[in-house]
Amino acid sequence: MPKRTVPAKVPVRTATRGPTPRKKEDDQVVYIDTNSAPRVMFSGEDLLVEDLPVGTRVIYPKPPLEGLANPGAAVRYALNHPLGTDPLYAQLYPGMRVTIAVDDISLPLPPMVTPDIRQTIVEILLELLDANGVDDVHIIVANSLHRRMTGPEMKRMLGRKIFDAYYPDRYYNHDAEDPDGMVHLGKTNHNEVVNINRRAVESDLLIYVNINLVPMDGGHKSVTVGLCDYESLRAHHEPHTIRQSDSYMDPAKSMLNKKVERMGAIVQSNMKIFHIETALNNRMFGPQMSFLTKNEDDFTETDRLKLEATRWALSKMPSGAKRTLFHNIPAQYELVACHAGETQAVHSKIIEKNFEQYMVNVRGQSDIVICGVPFISPYNVNSILNPLLVQVMGLGYFHNFYRGKPLLKKGGVLILTHPCYDKFDHKHHPSYIEFFNRLLPETRDADVLRAKYEEEFARNPSYIEMYRRGNAYHGAHPFFMWYWGENGRQHVGKVIVAGAENAHVPAMLGWDRADSLTEAIAMARSHVGPNPDISMLHHPPIVMVDVE
């Protein structure tokens, strides 16, 4: 079948099988025909170029929304025209105590070019606070049970001027294990405990600066999760809640979100909060690497040369060097929306912008879904994507990148491409090592793991010390990461990882292994039937689906 020529930015819609998607301008859907180019996908720190079967549906991200021309002006306008509350300047007075909380390094992914939007916002806030006589100001990284950010990471996030003036006494990481640093605010009518950072609670005003990278971010989650402790977090980061979240990216159908909102209502009743939320576009790469986000049918000769040069260079580098290279390529994200004021009013506006950027309309579910797992997740910035985090990306995030219903049919096959290194970062993920090597050989049952081992890890003095004094994720964190894949495990009939460099890791995770994507698809056909509907989510950047 000859490939049609179409104007730029209009999706190609050629097919040799299956229904043609509804012709909407925002549908980024391609059906592979016999003349189509091979598709590029991430596999850890490598790029795969694969021929997919004829008729495969490839779902591409939408083009980036237009960034705001003057982010600073947009921030100032939001502060002066907030939703559901008085302008920020009207809430300030000399001698008051103000705390600014900011999202940690898990957002955005990868870290964005400097100045980070948080730097832009905090600089404006500090200028406004100073003009109104407010000098008791602390800046807290809302890292919850994530690892502490390092000094250089904090300097990069807010800039040298703020770092030099405030770090470490007035610019620091939240400590969920500080016995004097948390305040109990109460319990919900479902007996969910709400404990929040003392400095934030005892401030006259808490200003939260949020980046809403995906629809599950922001809202009450910012304070209620970012500044809580283990006792509060475990109320919703548990298997039953995750199984009832359909999906995390659709807040209206997420039990996780419902619990956080219940707990957030208690926070709201005990604290004065001014919420600032931002939405970014998905312009992940600059001109040199932007070919990775394109439809391969539209590659120019230059794009093909860049791809081959990149793959050749990566093939000559050891895995650690490749990882460092990718982590040092900042994302070119741009601000597309900023709103401020009352938490829920602000959040609803930003969620609309997230959906506008990420959601792609597709018709019908698939028997097989293919995802290339990249080098980064929210939990391994500047470190390795260990086996538990590969599981989080596949069953936790990629499976949940939908609104309405999953892209994959119940009992279908999820194919992931990743080397599945049996490697862990001892500084960032020490409790993961014990979880993977000691607990998973005994059981993969999330309920058993929670009942039998979670509190042992959470209360382990060594893990607490590494969380508080080092840069380690909390001892309970690998449990939360395992639970995060729970609704995916309940839905997916089989997971096959293509290109795993060993058999050990897939077996520990309960997955099958294939040497290549072609072999993985053949294995999947034996599970779902000889003529399956196949879809591929083309990451990067983020793409989510509205399945009709």
Side-chain angles (χ1 to χ4, degrees):
M1 176 186 294
K3 188 171 72 175
R4 292 185 291 174
T5 302
V6 296
K9 295 187 179 180
V10 176
V12 180
R13 306 188 198 284
T14 58
T16 58
R17 63 180 298 277
T20 300
R22 290 195 306 162
K23 295 188 177 182
K24 294 182 179 180
E25 289 187 1
D26 61 352
D27 280 344
Q28 298 298 110
V29 179
V30 172
Y31 276 83
I32 300 295
D33 69 11
T34 53
N35 296 315
S36 291
R39 261 53 190 176
V40 180
M41 63 187 75
F42 267 101
S43 181
E45 292 97 31
D46 291 302
L47 301 177
L48 295 181
V49 179
E50 296 283 349
D51 289 304
L52 299 176
V54 173
T56 298
R57 176 174 59 179
V58 183
I59 303 167
Y60 286 86
K62 289 181 176 179
L65 298 174
E66 191 67 29
L68 299 179
N70 190 331
V75 171
R76 293 179 190 277
Y77 183 89
L79 301 182
N80 292 329
H81 301 83
L83 305 174
T85 189
D86 294 329
L88 182 57
Y89 66 82
Q91 301 185 40
L92 304 178
Y93 54 87
M96 72 184 301
R97 173 185 282 197
V98 172
T99 296
I100 301 170
V102 295
D103 284 336
D104 72 353
I105 200 170
S106 63
L107 295 168
L109 298 173
M112 66 188 295
V113 292
T114 55
D116 188 296
I117 189 60
R118 286 164 291 204
Q119 176 182 338
T120 301
I121 295 172
V122 174
E123 285 178 346
I124 292 170
L125 289 174
L126 293 176
E127 176 187 309
L128 187 60
L129 292 170
D130 181 64
N132 285 273
V134 181
D135 54 15
D136 185 353
V137 180
H138 284 206
I139 305 169
I140 302 178
V141 178
N143 52 286
S144 189
L145 270 63
H146 294 176
R147 69 169 177 86
R148 290 159 45 90
M149 290 180 65
T150 67
E153 289 169 342
M154 293 169 71
K155 182 186 293 186
R156 185 187 188 280
M157 184 166 72
L158 293 189
R160 177 181 293 276
K161 183 178 179 181
I162 293 175
F163 182 84
D164 289 346
Y166 285 83
Y167 181 86
D169 297 328
R170 295 186 297 154
Y171 176 28
Y172 50 86
N173 291 277
H174 167 67
D175 183 354
E177 288 290 346
D178 181 359
D180 300 318
M182 302 298 297
V183 175
H184 176 66
L185 298 183
K187 295 182 180 181
T188 70
N189 55 8
H190 290 72
N191 210 38
E192 295 139 351
V193 177
V194 181
N195 299 327
I196 298 295
N197 179 281
R198 180 177 294 279
R199 166 71 197 197
V201 171
E202 294 180 352
S203 294
D204 298 301
L205 180 65
L206 172 66
I207 304 172
Y208 197 101
V209 179
N210 159 267
I211 293 177
N212 225 71
L213 185 67
V214 292
M216 66 169 284
D217 298 331
H220 284 298
K221 182 174 179 285
S222 296
V223 177
T224 308
V225 174
L227 296 175
C228 77
D229 64 1
Y230 166 68
E231 191 176 5
S232 288
L233 196 65
R234 75 187 306 259
H236 42 75
H237 277 49
E238 53 88 24
H240 181 69
T241 299
I242 299 305
R243 286 193 286 263
Q244 289 187 299
S245 297
D246 183 29
S247 70
Y248 319 134
M249 304 304 164
D250 189 354
K253 298 177 68 178
S254 169
M255 179 56 68
L256 173 64
N257 183 67
K258 287 182 173 66
K259 286 191 173 186
V260 169
E261 287 187 349
R262 284 201 298 261
M263 299 168 75
I266 291 179
V267 171
Q268 198 89 5
S269 66
N270 283 276
M271 300 169 62
K272 188 175 182 182
I273 301 171
F274 189 87
H275 210 90
I276 304 169
E277 286 203 22
T278 63
L280 306 175
N281 63 15
N282 64 353
R283 195 180 302 280
M284 182 175 285
F285 296 114
Q288 292 303 313
M289 300 290 286
S290 62
F291 66 90
L292 291 174
T293 68
K294 293 175 66 174
N295 179 341
E296 290 82 355
D297 293 319
D298 299 329
F299 269 21
T300 64
E301 190 60 34
T302 300
D303 292 330
R304 294 187 182 91
L305 289 172
K306 286 181 178 178
L307 172 62
E308 289 308 313
T310 302
R311 295 185 69 219
W312 180 86
L314 291 173
S315 72
K316 303 300 179 183
M317 300 170 68
S319 61
K322 289 186 284 189
R323 187 161 57 251
T324 299
L325 171 67
F326 275 114
H327 279 284
N328 285 324
I329 300 175
Q332 306 293 311
Y333 298 130
E334 300 167 307
L335 182 69
V336 294
C338 180
H339 294 283
E342 191 276 324
T343 300
Q344 287 292 70
V346 167
H347 189 52
S348 63
K349 290 287 188 182
I350 293 295
I351 285 291
E352 290 176 11
K353 190 60 70 169
N354 285 158
F355 286 152
E356 181 183 350
Q357 177 65 89
Y358 295 129
M359 288 295 173
V360 174
N361 295 289
V362 299
R363 180 178 293 179
Q365 296 174 293
S366 292
D367 303 293
I368 300 170
V369 171
I370 302 168
C371 299
V373 180
F375 64 98
I376 197 167
S377 81
Y379 318 109
N380 77 304
V381 178
N382 296 324
S383 74
I384 193 168
L385 194 77
N386 65 53
L388 291 180
L389 296 181
V390 175
Q391 175 263 164
V392 166
M393 291 300 288
L395 295 174
Y397 282 99
F398 290 161
H399 171 70
N400 282 278
F401 277 173
Y402 69 88
R403 180 171 60 175
K405 56 185 176 182
L407 180 61
L408 184 67
K409 293 177 183 177
K410 176 74 171 177
V413 177
L414 177 65
I415 297 177
L416 305 174
T417 63
H418 196 272
C420 283
Y421 312 110
D422 190 3
K423 297 177 183 177
F424 293 81
D425 188 310
H426 289 248
K427 181 174 70 172
H428 290 176
H429 303 116
S431 59
Y432 281 61
I433 301 169
E434 183 179 3
F435 182 97
F436 184 76
N437 291 289
R438 174 188 160 207
L439 303 191
L440 285 189
E442 176 186 330
T443 181
R444 292 191 290 269
D445 187 304
D447 294 310
V448 172
L449 289 165
R450 176 175 169 85
K452 192 172 180 181
Y453 293 115
E454 184 190 298
E455 290 216 40
E456 174 196 328
F457 276 59
R459 310 298 183 192
N460 183 304
S462 296
Y463 292 147
I464 290 174
E465 185 68 12
M466 285 186 276
Y467 163 80
R468 297 194 67 196
R469 312 298 179 196
N471 298 100
Y473 282 81
H474 194 274
H477 202 261
F479 291 83
F480 300 151
M481 295 298 92
W482 188 255
Y483 308 156
W484 208 246
E486 186 64 13
N487 63 359
R489 272 189 293 276
Q490 301 300 314
H491 184 89
V492 176
K494 183 186 289 289
V495 178
I496 303 172
V497 58
E501 65 178 22
N502 61 77
H504 170 65
V505 168
M508 290 280 278
L509 297 174
W511 298 351
D512 290 345
R513 176 188 176 276
D515 286 326
S516 66
L517 183 59
T518 299
E519 181 185 353
I521 292 171
M523 293 167 60
R525 282 193 168 110
S526 69
H527 181 79
V528 300
N531 297 302
D533 292 305
I534 304 174
S535 289
M536 172 186 165
L537 287 172
H538 194 288
H539 302 108
I542 293 170
V543 57
M544 301 181 186
V545 293
D546 252 326
V547 180
E548 300 174 5

